[in-house]
Amino acid sequence: MAESQNIEWKESWRDEYLKWICGFANAQGGKIYIGTNDDGTVIGIQDSKKLMEDIPNKVRDILGIIVDVNLLAEDEKEYIEICVSPNTYPVNYRGEYHYRSGSTKQLLKGQALNQFLLKKTGITWDSVPIQDVAVRDLRNDSFDIFREQAVFNAIAHKFYGTLIPIQIRVYADKIMIANDCVFPDDWTVDDLMGSHRSRPYNPLIANTFFRAGFIEAWGRGIEKIKDSCAQAGNPMPEYMVKKEDIMVTFKSLMTDTTQDTTQAVTQGTTQVGFQNIENSIPMRIIKVIKDNPALSQSQIAEMLGEKHDTIKYHMRKMRLSGVIEREGSSQKGKWIIK
């Protein structure tokens, strides 16, 4: 049997192999055989009696865990089996955290270590308090901006420990969003793209978004994104999913109603090509905010009989194309037709 995720062969014992035991304990557990060569052939050991006492004592004193140490024999050659169970809590070797991955041992450092410790202790990133920050240090206008603009699904699922911001690239015909995130170990791309229950990496942030009405509780984020693209008449988003990051590309049809509305407002016409834009959603929005510029997007959606997400989508494009702009906060501001 070759070495694997759970098997390690060693010809003789060295105290540095405590790192391997540490790695097994922090991962899925495993077995180390002392007195075998690299292909598992038993070559035997001479000091089996002493090792049967030393190994469990050193593991207990240095790693703080208990392992099973068994004396085995084959063809009159003795060898030792060390059985390591996965540990619920992080195990360290003299302050170092080792992890078994595949048939190798890795020393965890930096963000990999932070992620490992959070996962093992059951603590989520968004539950760790920031020192020396009080409520009085928070700014109300920042929350107003957040409520108005922070509607990306990426905010709730981001792995903030990487310190890499959500990356957005805007082109004439598409927008690309890249985000560092951590998927559940038992998920595949098919699980993510299909119906699935909600398992957010930042449950407190996700719960805040849910209570504010920005998201739902049952993992419908991607489904709602697809629905929004369909409502806008745009192609379905394209996803590129890796283990710790995801990129989504939204492509836009160049003949969408917002661009036609922009031309119509600029040219003072109500007809562009063969498309009548008088009754388009962007033009209807302009008519409503012309009469009452203080309306919120929710109120505009209610007056027009459209979904809030649909109005939000078109108004965002109208702002980007320079048709309208928002002056002031989402609560006390007003819309301006440019």
Side-chain angles (χ1 to χ4, degrees), residues 33-53:
Y33 292 92
I34 309 298
T36 61
N37 59 21
D38 290 340
D39 61 6
T41 302
V42 176
I43 60 176
I45 51 175
Q46 302 298 322
D47 50 355
S48 59
K49 183 177 180 180
K50 184 176 186 298
L51 289 176
M52 289 292 293
E53 296 180 1

Side-chain angles (χ1 to χ4, degrees), residues 7 32 38 84 138-139 157 166 215 237 252 263 275 314 318 333:
I7 300 293
I32 301 178
D38 290 340
V84 186
L138 307 179
R139 295 175 51 180
H157 297 286
I166 298 170
I215 64 174
S252 174
Q263 297 177 27
Q275 183 175 13
H314 285 286
M318 293 167 70

